[in-house]
Structure formats: C-alpha cells, structure tokens
Amino acid sequence: MRKAALRTASGLLAAFGLAAPSSAQQSYPSRPIEIVVPFAAGGSIDITLRIIGPHLSKRLGQNVVFLNKAGAGATLGMAYVARSAPDGYTFGAASFAFAVNSAVLDKVSYDVTKDFEPVTMVARSPMVLLVNPKSPATTVPEFIDWVKSKPPGELNYGSVGVASSGHLITELFLARAGIKMTHIPYSTGPLPALAQGDIHLQFSPIPTAVPWVKDGRLRAIGVTSLEPDPNVPDLTPVSATLPGFDTYEWPSLVAPAGTPRSIIDRVQRDIAQIVAEPEVKERLATLGSQGVGSTPEQFGAHIKKETALWAGVVRQLGLRLGNTQ
C-alpha cells in the first residue's frame, strides 16, 4: 500500500512538473516585450524593426516597445540584452555591427555566439556599387580593369567611417578583385564627393543610391546580392564577376542566452509570417530590403559565418578601435 501511494504521489508530482511549464508557455506573453536597438532612432535597422513592431504586437497580444540604447560602437545596447533575464521579454536588434564589433573594438563585454540565442533574420538589404558617371567603367569587370591600370592606391573610395559596413564591404571587394584603393571616410556621407569626382567608388544602400542614379549624378554598376535584387532588377550582381560575393545589412533579432526555445520559435514563426504579408513586403522594399524570417538554426549559422568573415577582413587591415560612448 505504501509503495502504491508513493508511486501515485510520484506520478502526480511528475504530472505537475510537466504541466507547470506548459501553463507558463501558454501565458506568454503576459506583459509588454522590449526590443533593444543599439543605435539612435531613425537609422535603417531601427526603421526596419519598427515596421514589424505593430504586427508583432497584434500577434502576441502585448505591446512591443523599442528602446534605443546607442553608444560604445553599438555594444552598449547589446550588452544590456546579454545581461537581461532570459524570459522572452527582452530582444536585441542584431545587424552587421553585431558580427564585426568583437573583431574591431578593444572591449566587448559579451560573446556573440555564447551570450545570445539567435531568433531570426528579419530582412536583408544589399548594397549597390556606385561610380561617377564620367568614369570609364560601366560594369564591374570594366571597373576592376580600370583600377588595375592605375598605380595601386591612386584611386579613392569613400565610406561613412572606419569599420563601417561600407568600409569593410569595399575592402572585401578590393581583396577579392585583387586591386587597391585608398579609403577616405566622410562623417557626412561620401555621395556628394563621388558625384564631384573626388572619390571613385562607393557601396551604398539602395534607397540612398536610387535618387542619385535616377537624376544622373551617379552610375550604379552592380549589386551585392548573389541574384539580381527585385528592388534594382536591372543591376548585375557583383557575384557574376567575383563568385560568391554576397554581403548585405541584416536587421535581425537575438535573445539573451537561455531564453526558452518555445518562446524563440513562436516569435520567429510570427515574424516569418509578418514579413510575408504584402503590406510589410511593400514597406520593406522602400528601404531596399527583402523579408527573410529565417529559422534560429539558419540565423545562427549566418552569425558564425559573418563573424568569421569580417574578423578575417579586420585582421588583414590591422584595424583596432577603442570603444566610444
């Protein structure tokens, strides 16, 4: 009798133990969810995620609020996410900088692969390769041949700053093409300098580039996606000349390490469905982006690939920056 009673009690405890997390899962979310953006409001990552915010709120039945925590080279906000409770109420906006910072900054208080759970890549935004319309190059092969005809470093390219996506993407392009150019950073943006002929190359986001191309001030000769991009369908991919050249900005979500997989899966599924909605696809297209909604496994593999890729580029350049607030 006693053994039977013990077995009955053990069964009840086991059943209760199984039921408790199920109940907790069903109650999620029970309060607002915070998405931390490690940049100032109004940037492309911030805008992209705010597009999906109201749709995610509707699906989850709770407000999705955004907290912009800029500073320390975009590491301040991600450090906040890494320290947050892994309960599904705090997510971080990961992007190109997320994969680069550990290689280029002196102090990063987190490990991108150990302190976060990948949730999903929300969207991807390729860049376009721009030249001055007076340039003799109308294609990527012609541009490479033109640079090769000059002394190494005689021609210049611009970016918005050292270790920016434009800087590192251009250096990757130059390395794979076997050419050398001189980097000139512009805090106010390099497109006017390119239009004036002061520099000779710039990789730029599609929405920024299109007005300059349409009015003839600049010429676009390539796009950094493997396949033609639907936002600029007439542009030939750089990968047609440099096989495998596929690089882009990637607004995404990560969660603190230890966040329950059931929560991660739910948020990922919701976002995958949101970015497939016609209204959202249209709004993302205005940013030069395409919705992705990748699985956590796919996104985790992407983070590892990007981290290794840009660490190699940074190492070859000998870059090392101090953290800035």
PDB file of all heavy atoms in Angstrom, residues 143-158 167 170-184 199-201 242 313 316-318:
ATOM      1  N   PHE A 143      35.369  48.197 -64.255  1.00  0.00           N
ATOM      2  CA  PHE A 143      35.878  48.978 -63.132  1.00  0.00           C
ATOM      3  C   PHE A 143      37.167  48.349 -62.594  1.00  0.00           C
ATOM      4  O   PHE A 143      38.144  49.049 -62.327  1.00  0.00           O
ATOM      5  CB  PHE A 143      34.832  49.059 -62.019  1.00  0.00           C
ATOM      6  CG  PHE A 143      35.285  49.861 -60.834  1.00  0.00           C
ATOM      7  CD1 PHE A 143      35.190  51.247 -60.834  1.00  0.00           C
ATOM      8  CD2 PHE A 143      35.845  49.237 -59.728  1.00  0.00           C
ATOM      9  CE1 PHE A 143      35.644  51.991 -59.756  1.00  0.00           C
ATOM     10  CE2 PHE A 143      36.296  49.971 -58.647  1.00  0.00           C
ATOM     11  CZ  PHE A 143      36.196  51.359 -58.651  1.00  0.00           C
ATOM     12  N   ILE A 144      37.164  47.044 -62.432  1.00  0.00           N
ATOM     13  CA  ILE A 144      38.351  46.349 -61.923  1.00  0.00           C
ATOM     14  C   ILE A 144      39.536  46.571 -62.862  1.00  0.00           C
ATOM     15  O   ILE A 144      40.661  46.874 -62.422  1.00  0.00           O
ATOM     16  CB  ILE A 144      38.060  44.850 -61.737  1.00  0.00           C
ATOM     17  CG1 ILE A 144      37.036  44.654 -60.602  1.00  0.00           C
ATOM     18  CG2 ILE A 144      39.344  44.083 -61.432  1.00  0.00           C
ATOM     19  CD1 ILE A 144      36.528  43.234 -60.467  1.00  0.00           C
ATOM     20  N   ASP A 145      39.307  46.470 -64.165  1.00  0.00           N
ATOM     21  CA  ASP A 145      40.385  46.680 -65.141  1.00  0.00           C
ATOM     22  C   ASP A 145      40.896  48.117 -65.081  1.00  0.00           C
ATOM     23  O   ASP A 145      42.109  48.355 -65.211  1.00  0.00           O
ATOM     24  CB  ASP A 145      39.894  46.357 -66.556  1.00  0.00           C
ATOM     25  CG  ASP A 145      39.697  44.862 -66.788  1.00  0.00           C
ATOM     26  OD1 ASP A 145      40.245  44.063 -65.998  1.00  0.00           O
ATOM     27  OD2 ASP A 145      38.984  44.500 -67.746  1.00  0.00           O
ATOM     28  N   TRP A 146      39.980  49.070 -64.882  1.00  0.00           N
ATOM     29  CA  TRP A 146      40.372  50.481 -64.799  1.00  0.00           C
ATOM     30  C   TRP A 146      41.283  50.722 -63.599  1.00  0.00           C
ATOM     31  O   TRP A 146      42.322  51.372 -63.704  1.00  0.00           O
ATOM     32  CB  TRP A 146      39.120  51.350 -64.719  1.00  0.00           C
ATOM     33  CG  TRP A 146      39.395  52.820 -64.591  1.00  0.00           C
ATOM     34  CD1 TRP A 146      40.262  53.573 -65.355  1.00  0.00           C
ATOM     35  CD2 TRP A 146      38.804  53.717 -63.661  1.00  0.00           C
ATOM     36  NE1 TRP A 146      40.241  54.879 -64.945  1.00  0.00           N
ATOM     37  CE2 TRP A 146      39.350  55.002 -63.916  1.00  0.00           C
ATOM     38  CE3 TRP A 146      37.849  53.575 -62.650  1.00  0.00           C
ATOM     39  CZ2 TRP A 146      38.984  56.136 -63.178  1.00  0.00           C
ATOM     40  CZ3 TRP A 146      37.477  54.696 -61.934  1.00  0.00           C
ATOM     41  CH2 TRP A 146      38.034  55.952 -62.181  1.00  0.00           C
ATOM     42  N   VAL A 147      40.890  50.165 -62.443  1.00  0.00           N
ATOM     43  CA  VAL A 147      41.706  50.339 -61.237  1.00  0.00           C
ATOM     44  C   VAL A 147      43.071  49.683 -61.428  1.00  0.00           C
ATOM     45  O   VAL A 147      44.105  50.234 -61.017  1.00  0.00           O
ATOM     46  CB  VAL A 147      40.996  49.769 -59.998  1.00  0.00           C
ATOM     47  CG1 VAL A 147      41.887  49.904 -58.759  1.00  0.00           C
ATOM     48  CG2 VAL A 147      39.672  50.481 -59.750  1.00  0.00           C
ATOM     49  N   LYS A 148      43.101  48.521 -62.064  1.00  0.00           N
ATOM     50  CA  LYS A 148      44.365  47.827 -62.292  1.00  0.00           C
ATOM     51  C   LYS A 148      45.295  48.612 -63.216  1.00  0.00           C
ATOM     52  O   LYS A 148      46.531  48.441 -63.155  1.00  0.00           O
ATOM     53  CB  LYS A 148      44.103  46.438 -62.874  1.00  0.00           C
ATOM     54  CG  LYS A 148      43.571  45.428 -61.867  1.00  0.00           C
ATOM     55  CD  LYS A 148      43.366  44.063 -62.503  1.00  0.00           C
ATOM     56  CE  LYS A 148      42.933  43.034 -61.453  1.00  0.00           C
ATOM     57  NZ  LYS A 148      42.694  41.690 -62.054  1.00  0.00           N
ATOM     58  N   SER A 149      44.712  49.467 -64.040  1.00  0.00           N
ATOM     59  CA  SER A 149      45.531  50.252 -64.974  1.00  0.00           C
ATOM     60  C   SER A 149      46.209  51.440 -64.294  1.00  0.00           C
ATOM     61  O   SER A 149      47.075  52.090 -64.892  1.00  0.00           O
ATOM     62  CB  SER A 149      44.671  50.762 -66.138  1.00  0.00           C
ATOM     63  OG  SER A 149      43.803  51.816 -65.705  1.00  0.00           O
ATOM     64  N   LYS A 150      45.817  51.711 -63.040  1.00  0.00           N
ATOM     65  CA  LYS A 150      46.375  52.827 -62.292  1.00  0.00           C
ATOM     66  C   LYS A 150      47.382  52.335 -61.257  1.00  0.00           C
ATOM     67  O   LYS A 150      47.332  51.178 -60.839  1.00  0.00           O
ATOM     68  CB  LYS A 150      45.248  53.585 -61.578  1.00  0.00           C
ATOM     69  CG  LYS A 150      44.135  54.104 -62.483  1.00  0.00           C
ATOM     70  CD  LYS A 150      44.623  55.245 -63.335  1.00  0.00           C
ATOM     71  CE  LYS A 150      43.474  55.814 -64.177  1.00  0.00           C
ATOM     72  NZ  LYS A 150      43.935  56.941 -65.028  1.00  0.00           N
ATOM     73  N   PRO A 151      48.286  53.191 -60.803  1.00  0.00           N
ATOM     74  CA  PRO A 151      49.179  52.801 -59.698  1.00  0.00           C
ATOM     75  C   PRO A 151      48.352  52.440 -58.468  1.00  0.00           C
ATOM     76  O   PRO A 151      47.328  53.077 -58.202  1.00  0.00           O
ATOM     77  CB  PRO A 151      50.021  54.062 -59.460  1.00  0.00           C
ATOM     78  CG  PRO A 151      49.981  54.799 -60.764  1.00  0.00           C
ATOM     79  CD  PRO A 151      48.618  54.527 -61.332  1.00  0.00           C
ATOM     80  N   PRO A 152      48.757  51.407 -57.705  1.00  0.00           N
ATOM     81  CA  PRO A 152      47.987  50.994 -56.524  1.00  0.00           C
ATOM     82  C   PRO A 152      47.735  52.146 -55.562  1.00  0.00           C
ATOM     83  O   PRO A 152      48.668  52.857 -55.187  1.00  0.00           O
ATOM     84  CB  PRO A 152      48.889  49.925 -55.882  1.00  0.00           C
ATOM     85  CG  PRO A 152      49.704  49.388 -57.015  1.00  0.00           C
ATOM     86  CD  PRO A 152      49.941  50.570 -57.922  1.00  0.00           C
ATOM     87  N   GLY A 153      46.462  52.337 -55.196  1.00  0.00           N
ATOM     88  CA  GLY A 153      46.102  53.379 -54.237  1.00  0.00           C
ATOM     89  C   GLY A 153      45.876  54.747 -54.839  1.00  0.00           C
ATOM     90  O   GLY A 153      45.514  55.685 -54.119  1.00  0.00           O
ATOM     91  N   GLU A 154      46.046  54.901 -56.155  1.00  0.00           N
ATOM     92  CA  GLU A 154      45.844  56.226 -56.759  1.00  0.00           C
ATOM     93  C   GLU A 154      44.369  56.623 -56.735  1.00  0.00           C
ATOM     94  O   GLU A 154      44.032  57.796 -56.533  1.00  0.00           O
ATOM     95  CB  GLU A 154      46.357  56.241 -58.196  1.00  0.00           C
ATOM     96  CG  GLU A 154      46.141  57.587 -58.906  1.00  0.00           C
ATOM     97  CD  GLU A 154      46.686  57.601 -60.321  1.00  0.00           C
ATOM     98  OE1 GLU A 154      47.877  57.259 -60.492  1.00  0.00           O
ATOM     99  OE2 GLU A 154      45.928  57.938 -61.242  1.00  0.00           O
ATOM    100  N   LEU A 155      43.490  55.651 -56.944  1.00  0.00           N
ATOM    101  CA  LEU A 155      42.054  55.926 -56.913  1.00  0.00           C
ATOM    102  C   LEU A 155      41.531  55.754 -55.488  1.00  0.00           C
ATOM    103  O   LEU A 155      42.055  54.969 -54.699  1.00  0.00           O
ATOM    104  CB  LEU A 155      41.319  55.001 -57.871  1.00  0.00           C
ATOM    105  CG  LEU A 155      41.736  55.106 -59.347  1.00  0.00           C
ATOM    106  CD1 LEU A 155      40.915  54.151 -60.201  1.00  0.00           C
ATOM    107  CD2 LEU A 155      41.610  56.541 -59.854  1.00  0.00           C
ATOM    108  N   ASN A 156      40.450  56.483 -55.164  1.00  0.00           N
ATOM    109  CA  ASN A 156      39.911  56.514 -53.805  1.00  0.00           C
ATOM    110  C   ASN A 156      38.503  55.940 -53.743  1.00  0.00           C
ATOM    111  O   ASN A 156      37.785  55.908 -54.740  1.00  0.00           O
ATOM    112  CB  ASN A 156      39.853  57.962 -53.288  1.00  0.00           C
ATOM    113  CG  ASN A 156      41.178  58.680 -53.404  1.00  0.00           C
ATOM    114  OD1 ASN A 156      42.214  58.100 -53.125  1.00  0.00           O
ATOM    115  ND2 ASN A 156      41.144  59.934 -53.832  1.00  0.00           N
ATOM    116  N   TYR A 157      38.119  55.526 -52.540  1.00  0.00           N
ATOM    117  CA  TYR A 157      36.723  55.180 -52.282  1.00  0.00           C
ATOM    118  C   TYR A 157      36.310  55.782 -50.960  1.00  0.00           C
ATOM    119  O   TYR A 157      37.140  56.105 -50.099  1.00  0.00           O
ATOM    120  CB  TYR A 157      36.509  53.659 -52.282  1.00  0.00           C
ATOM    121  CG  TYR A 157      37.031  52.937 -51.057  1.00  0.00           C
ATOM    122  CD1 TYR A 157      36.225  52.762 -49.924  1.00  0.00           C
ATOM    123  CD2 TYR A 157      38.318  52.418 -51.022  1.00  0.00           C
ATOM    124  CE1 TYR A 157      36.697  52.099 -48.796  1.00  0.00           C
ATOM    125  CE2 TYR A 157      38.797  51.753 -49.908  1.00  0.00           C
ATOM    126  CZ  TYR A 157      37.971  51.594 -48.797  1.00  0.00           C
ATOM    127  OH  TYR A 157      38.438  50.940 -47.686  1.00  0.00           O
ATOM    128  N   GLY A 158      35.002  55.938 -50.765  1.00  0.00           N
ATOM    129  CA  GLY A 158      34.507  56.575 -49.547  1.00  0.00           C
ATOM    130  C   GLY A 158      33.655  55.641 -48.707  1.00  0.00           C
ATOM    131  O   GLY A 158      33.205  54.590 -49.157  1.00  0.00           O
ATOM    132  N   HIS A 167      32.937  50.562 -45.455  1.00  0.00           N
ATOM    133  CA  HIS A 167      34.396  50.405 -45.431  1.00  0.00           C
ATOM    134  C   HIS A 167      34.783  48.938 -45.598  1.00  0.00           C
ATOM    135  O   HIS A 167      35.580  48.581 -46.478  1.00  0.00           O
ATOM    136  CB  HIS A 167      34.935  50.959 -44.104  1.00  0.00           C
ATOM    137  CG  HIS A 167      36.407  50.786 -43.924  1.00  0.00           C
ATOM    138  ND1 HIS A 167      37.011  50.769 -42.690  1.00  0.00           N
ATOM    139  CD2 HIS A 167      37.413  50.585 -44.827  1.00  0.00           C
ATOM    140  CE1 HIS A 167      38.308  50.603 -42.833  1.00  0.00           C
ATOM    141  NE2 HIS A 167      38.576  50.489 -44.119  1.00  0.00           N
ATOM    142  N   THR A 170      33.771  47.270 -48.967  1.00  0.00           N
ATOM    143  CA  THR A 170      34.657  47.696 -50.057  1.00  0.00           C
ATOM    144  C   THR A 170      36.001  46.984 -49.975  1.00  0.00           C
ATOM    145  O   THR A 170      36.549  46.543 -50.993  1.00  0.00           O
ATOM    146  CB  THR A 170      34.873  49.214 -50.038  1.00  0.00           C
ATOM    147  OG1 THR A 170      33.611  49.881 -50.045  1.00  0.00           O
ATOM    148  CG2 THR A 170      35.663  49.664 -51.263  1.00  0.00           C
ATOM    149  N   GLU A 171      36.541  46.850 -48.767  1.00  0.00           N
ATOM    150  CA  GLU A 171      37.817  46.161 -48.623  1.00  0.00           C
ATOM    151  C   GLU A 171      37.712  44.689 -49.021  1.00  0.00           C
ATOM    152  O   GLU A 171      38.645  44.126 -49.606  1.00  0.00           O
ATOM    153  CB  GLU A 171      38.333  46.298 -47.191  1.00  0.00           C
ATOM    154  CG  GLU A 171      38.846  47.692 -46.850  1.00  0.00           C
ATOM    155  CD  GLU A 171      40.103  48.085 -47.626  1.00  0.00           C
ATOM    156  OE1 GLU A 171      40.804  47.179 -48.146  1.00  0.00           O
ATOM    157  OE2 GLU A 171      40.386  49.296 -47.727  1.00  0.00           O
ATOM    158  N   LEU A 172      36.584  44.077 -48.722  1.00  0.00           N
ATOM    159  CA  LEU A 172      36.363  42.698 -49.168  1.00  0.00           C
ATOM    160  C   LEU A 172      36.329  42.642 -50.694  1.00  0.00           C
ATOM    161  O   LEU A 172      36.929  41.748 -51.307  1.00  0.00           O
ATOM    162  CB  LEU A 172      35.060  42.165 -48.579  1.00  0.00           C
ATOM    163  CG  LEU A 172      34.676  40.725 -48.950  1.00  0.00           C
ATOM    164  CD1 LEU A 172      35.684  39.727 -48.376  1.00  0.00           C
ATOM    165  CD2 LEU A 172      33.268  40.393 -48.456  1.00  0.00           C
ATOM    166  N   PHE A 173      35.652  43.578 -51.300  1.00  0.00           N
ATOM    167  CA  PHE A 173      35.573  43.661 -52.763  1.00  0.00           C
ATOM    168  C   PHE A 173      36.958  43.845 -53.370  1.00  0.00           C
ATOM    169  O   PHE A 173      37.338  43.144 -54.322  1.00  0.00           O
ATOM    170  CB  PHE A 173      34.656  44.821 -53.158  1.00  0.00           C
ATOM    171  CG  PHE A 173      34.684  45.174 -54.615  1.00  0.00           C
ATOM    172  CD1 PHE A 173      34.006  44.406 -55.552  1.00  0.00           C
ATOM    173  CD2 PHE A 173      35.395  46.287 -55.063  1.00  0.00           C
ATOM    174  CE1 PHE A 173      34.033  44.732 -56.900  1.00  0.00           C
ATOM    175  CE2 PHE A 173      35.429  46.621 -56.399  1.00  0.00           C
ATOM    176  CZ  PHE A 173      34.750  45.845 -57.325  1.00  0.00           C
ATOM    177  N   LEU A 174      37.732  44.766 -52.821  1.00  0.00           N
ATOM    178  CA  LEU A 174      39.066  45.044 -53.359  1.00  0.00           C
ATOM    179  C   LEU A 174      39.967  43.814 -53.244  1.00  0.00           C
ATOM    180  O   LEU A 174      40.715  43.481 -54.173  1.00  0.00           O
ATOM    181  CB  LEU A 174      39.699  46.220 -52.616  1.00  0.00           C
ATOM    182  CG  LEU A 174      38.979  47.574 -52.709  1.00  0.00           C
ATOM    183  CD1 LEU A 174      39.708  48.617 -51.872  1.00  0.00           C
ATOM    184  CD2 LEU A 174      38.860  48.043 -54.153  1.00  0.00           C
ATOM    185  N   ALA A 175      39.894  43.138 -52.084  1.00  0.00           N
ATOM    186  CA  ALA A 175      40.737  41.958 -51.877  1.00  0.00           C
ATOM    187  C   ALA A 175      40.399  40.852 -52.867  1.00  0.00           C
ATOM    188  O   ALA A 175      41.295  40.225 -53.446  1.00  0.00           O
ATOM    189  CB  ALA A 175      40.581  41.461 -50.446  1.00  0.00           C
ATOM    190  N   ARG A 176      39.111  40.613 -53.082  1.00  0.00           N
ATOM    191  CA  ARG A 176      38.716  39.537 -53.997  1.00  0.00           C
ATOM    192  C   ARG A 176      38.971  39.899 -55.456  1.00  0.00           C
ATOM    193  O   ARG A 176      39.170  39.024 -56.295  1.00  0.00           O
ATOM    194  CB  ARG A 176      37.258  39.176 -53.763  1.00  0.00           C
ATOM    195  CG  ARG A 176      37.043  38.549 -52.390  1.00  0.00           C
ATOM    196  CD  ARG A 176      35.708  37.887 -52.242  1.00  0.00           C
ATOM    197  NE  ARG A 176      35.570  37.246 -50.942  1.00  0.00           N
ATOM    198  CZ  ARG A 176      34.475  36.643 -50.522  1.00  0.00           C
ATOM    199  NH1 ARG A 176      33.401  36.592 -51.318  1.00  0.00           N
ATOM    200  NH2 ARG A 176      34.435  36.087 -49.322  1.00  0.00           N
ATOM    201  N   ALA A 177      38.955  41.212 -55.742  1.00  0.00           N
ATOM    202  CA  ALA A 177      39.231  41.650 -57.113  1.00  0.00           C
ATOM    203  C   ALA A 177      40.727  41.795 -57.372  1.00  0.00           C
ATOM    204  O   ALA A 177      41.151  41.936 -58.532  1.00  0.00           O
ATOM    205  CB  ALA A 177      38.531  42.984 -57.383  1.00  0.00           C
ATOM    206  N   GLY A 178      41.549  41.768 -56.312  1.00  0.00           N
ATOM    207  CA  GLY A 178      42.993  41.907 -56.465  1.00  0.00           C
ATOM    208  C   GLY A 178      43.424  43.312 -56.822  1.00  0.00           C
ATOM    209  O   GLY A 178      44.370  43.515 -57.588  1.00  0.00           O
ATOM    210  N   ILE A 179      42.709  44.317 -56.272  1.00  0.00           N
ATOM    211  CA  ILE A 179      43.040  45.715 -56.564  1.00  0.00           C
ATOM    212  C   ILE A 179      43.193  46.498 -55.265  1.00  0.00           C
ATOM    213  O   ILE A 179      42.776  46.049 -54.201  1.00  0.00           O
ATOM    214  CB  ILE A 179      41.963  46.383 -57.448  1.00  0.00           C
ATOM    215  CG1 ILE A 179      40.572  46.255 -56.796  1.00  0.00           C
ATOM    216  CG2 ILE A 179      41.954  45.760 -58.852  1.00  0.00           C
ATOM    217  CD1 ILE A 179      39.448  46.899 -57.602  1.00  0.00           C
ATOM    218  N   LYS A 180      43.784  47.679 -55.356  1.00  0.00           N
ATOM    219  CA  LYS A 180      43.993  48.523 -54.181  1.00  0.00           C
ATOM    220  C   LYS A 180      43.467  49.930 -54.445  1.00  0.00           C
ATOM    221  O   LYS A 180      43.689  50.494 -55.522  1.00  0.00           O
ATOM    222  CB  LYS A 180      45.477  48.597 -53.805  1.00  0.00           C
ATOM    223  CG  LYS A 180      46.045  47.277 -53.278  1.00  0.00           C
ATOM    224  CD  LYS A 180      47.464  47.447 -52.782  1.00  0.00           C
ATOM    225  CE  LYS A 180      48.025  46.134 -52.243  1.00  0.00           C
ATOM    226  NZ  LYS A 180      47.280  45.674 -51.050  1.00  0.00           N
ATOM    227  N   MET A 181      42.768  50.493 -53.452  1.00  0.00           N
ATOM    228  CA  MET A 181      42.287  51.864 -53.495  1.00  0.00           C
ATOM    229  C   MET A 181      42.501  52.477 -52.116  1.00  0.00           C
ATOM    230  O   MET A 181      42.702  51.762 -51.132  1.00  0.00           O
ATOM    231  CB  MET A 181      40.798  51.928 -53.886  1.00  0.00           C
ATOM    232  CG  MET A 181      40.479  51.335 -55.238  1.00  0.00           C
ATOM    233  SD  MET A 181      38.705  51.396 -55.660  1.00  0.00           S
ATOM    234  CE  MET A 181      38.514  53.159 -56.010  1.00  0.00           C
ATOM    235  N   THR A 182      42.454  53.784 -52.046  1.00  0.00           N
ATOM    236  CA  THR A 182      42.658  54.490 -50.786  1.00  0.00           C
ATOM    237  C   THR A 182      41.319  54.828 -50.147  1.00  0.00           C
ATOM    238  O   THR A 182      40.425  55.378 -50.823  1.00  0.00           O
ATOM    239  CB  THR A 182      43.463  55.786 -51.015  1.00  0.00           C
ATOM    240  OG1 THR A 182      44.745  55.444 -51.557  1.00  0.00           O
ATOM    241  CG2 THR A 182      43.662  56.546 -49.705  1.00  0.00           C
ATOM    242  N   HIS A 183      41.172  54.505 -48.884  1.00  0.00           N
ATOM    243  CA  HIS A 183      39.930  54.762 -48.148  1.00  0.00           C
ATOM    244  C   HIS A 183      39.902  56.193 -47.629  1.00  0.00           C
ATOM    245  O   HIS A 183      40.846  56.649 -46.991  1.00  0.00           O
ATOM    246  CB  HIS A 183      39.816  53.792 -46.966  1.00  0.00           C
ATOM    247  CG  HIS A 183      38.612  54.030 -46.112  1.00  0.00           C
ATOM    248  ND1 HIS A 183      38.633  53.922 -44.738  1.00  0.00           N
ATOM    249  CD2 HIS A 183      37.329  54.371 -46.436  1.00  0.00           C
ATOM    250  CE1 HIS A 183      37.438  54.172 -44.259  1.00  0.00           C
ATOM    251  NE2 HIS A 183      36.629  54.451 -45.270  1.00  0.00           N
ATOM    252  N   ILE A 184      38.773  56.880 -47.888  1.00  0.00           N
ATOM    253  CA  ILE A 184      38.553  58.224 -47.353  1.00  0.00           C
ATOM    254  C   ILE A 184      37.214  58.225 -46.617  1.00  0.00           C
ATOM    255  O   ILE A 184      36.160  58.119 -47.248  1.00  0.00           O
ATOM    256  CB  ILE A 184      38.538  59.297 -48.462  1.00  0.00           C
ATOM    257  CG1 ILE A 184      39.876  59.270 -49.217  1.00  0.00           C
ATOM    258  CG2 ILE A 184      38.278  60.681 -47.870  1.00  0.00           C
ATOM    259  CD1 ILE A 184      39.947  60.270 -50.352  1.00  0.00           C
ATOM    260  N   ILE A 199      36.159  61.103 -55.216  1.00  0.00           N
ATOM    261  CA  ILE A 199      36.423  59.688 -54.975  1.00  0.00           C
ATOM    262  C   ILE A 199      35.858  58.911 -56.164  1.00  0.00           C
ATOM    263  O   ILE A 199      35.153  59.482 -57.012  1.00  0.00           O
ATOM    264  CB  ILE A 199      35.800  59.190 -53.646  1.00  0.00           C
ATOM    265  CG1 ILE A 199      34.287  59.443 -53.629  1.00  0.00           C
ATOM    266  CG2 ILE A 199      36.473  59.860 -52.452  1.00  0.00           C
ATOM    267  CD1 ILE A 199      33.589  58.861 -52.398  1.00  0.00           C
ATOM    268  N   HIS A 200      36.144  57.611 -56.207  1.00  0.00           N
ATOM    269  CA  HIS A 200      35.851  56.867 -57.432  1.00  0.00           C
ATOM    270  C   HIS A 200      34.969  55.641 -57.239  1.00  0.00           C
ATOM    271  O   HIS A 200      34.635  54.961 -58.216  1.00  0.00           O
ATOM    272  CB  HIS A 200      37.176  56.441 -58.082  1.00  0.00           C
ATOM    273  CG  HIS A 200      38.125  57.578 -58.268  1.00  0.00           C
ATOM    274  ND1 HIS A 200      39.106  57.889 -57.340  1.00  0.00           N
ATOM    275  CD2 HIS A 200      38.206  58.518 -59.247  1.00  0.00           C
ATOM    276  CE1 HIS A 200      39.780  58.959 -57.747  1.00  0.00           C
ATOM    277  NE2 HIS A 200      39.253  59.361 -58.893  1.00  0.00           N
ATOM    278  N   LEU A 201      34.583  55.345 -55.995  1.00  0.00           N
ATOM    279  CA  LEU A 201      33.758  54.172 -55.728  1.00  0.00           C
ATOM    280  C   LEU A 201      33.049  54.347 -54.401  1.00  0.00           C
ATOM    281  O   LEU A 201      33.614  54.929 -53.461  1.00  0.00           O
ATOM    282  CB  LEU A 201      34.634  52.913 -55.661  1.00  0.00           C
ATOM    283  CG  LEU A 201      34.007  51.638 -55.072  1.00  0.00           C
ATOM    284  CD1 LEU A 201      32.933  51.096 -56.001  1.00  0.00           C
ATOM    285  CD2 LEU A 201      35.077  50.578 -54.827  1.00  0.00           C
ATOM    286  N   LEU A 242      32.791  38.243 -59.313  1.00  0.00           N
ATOM    287  CA  LEU A 242      33.515  37.687 -58.168  1.00  0.00           C
ATOM    288  C   LEU A 242      32.616  36.628 -57.532  1.00  0.00           C
ATOM    289  O   LEU A 242      31.798  36.944 -56.671  1.00  0.00           O
ATOM    290  CB  LEU A 242      33.847  38.790 -57.159  1.00  0.00           C
ATOM    291  CG  LEU A 242      34.650  39.989 -57.694  1.00  0.00           C
ATOM    292  CD1 LEU A 242      34.821  41.036 -56.606  1.00  0.00           C
ATOM    293  CD2 LEU A 242      36.006  39.537 -58.234  1.00  0.00           C
ATOM    294  N   VAL A 313      38.729  39.982 -42.463  1.00  0.00           N
ATOM    295  CA  VAL A 313      38.954  41.258 -43.145  1.00  0.00           C
ATOM    296  C   VAL A 313      39.613  42.260 -42.204  1.00  0.00           C
ATOM    297  O   VAL A 313      40.584  42.944 -42.566  1.00  0.00           O
ATOM    298  CB  VAL A 313      37.622  41.827 -43.690  1.00  0.00           C
ATOM    299  CG1 VAL A 313      37.817  43.238 -44.245  1.00  0.00           C
ATOM    300  CG2 VAL A 313      37.041  40.907 -44.759  1.00  0.00           C
ATOM    301  N   GLN A 316      43.283  41.409 -41.654  1.00  0.00           N
ATOM    302  CA  GLN A 316      44.124  41.773 -42.795  1.00  0.00           C
ATOM    303  C   GLN A 316      44.380  43.273 -42.843  1.00  0.00           C
ATOM    304  O   GLN A 316      45.460  43.721 -43.251  1.00  0.00           O
ATOM    305  CB  GLN A 316      43.467  41.310 -44.098  1.00  0.00           C
ATOM    306  CG  GLN A 316      43.482  39.795 -44.286  1.00  0.00           C
ATOM    307  CD  GLN A 316      42.758  39.366 -45.547  1.00  0.00           C
ATOM    308  OE1 GLN A 316      42.070  40.153 -46.191  1.00  0.00           O
ATOM    309  NE2 GLN A 316      42.898  38.095 -45.906  1.00  0.00           N
ATOM    310  N   LEU A 317      43.393  44.058 -42.410  1.00  0.00           N
ATOM    311  CA  LEU A 317      43.554  45.513 -42.411  1.00  0.00           C
ATOM    312  C   LEU A 317      44.333  46.016 -41.204  1.00  0.00           C
ATOM    313  O   LEU A 317      44.788  47.159 -41.189  1.00  0.00           O
ATOM    314  CB  LEU A 317      42.167  46.191 -42.428  1.00  0.00           C
ATOM    315  CG  LEU A 317      41.328  46.012 -43.692  1.00  0.00           C
ATOM    316  CD1 LEU A 317      39.942  46.602 -43.491  1.00  0.00           C
ATOM    317  CD2 LEU A 317      42.018  46.664 -44.883  1.00  0.00           C
ATOM    318  N   GLY A 318      44.467  45.163 -40.175  1.00  0.00           N
ATOM    319  CA  GLY A 318      45.142  45.598 -38.955  1.00  0.00           C
ATOM    320  C   GLY A 318      44.346  46.626 -38.186  1.00  0.00           C
ATOM    321  O   GLY A 318      44.910  47.492 -37.505  1.00  0.00           O
TER     322      GLY A 318
END
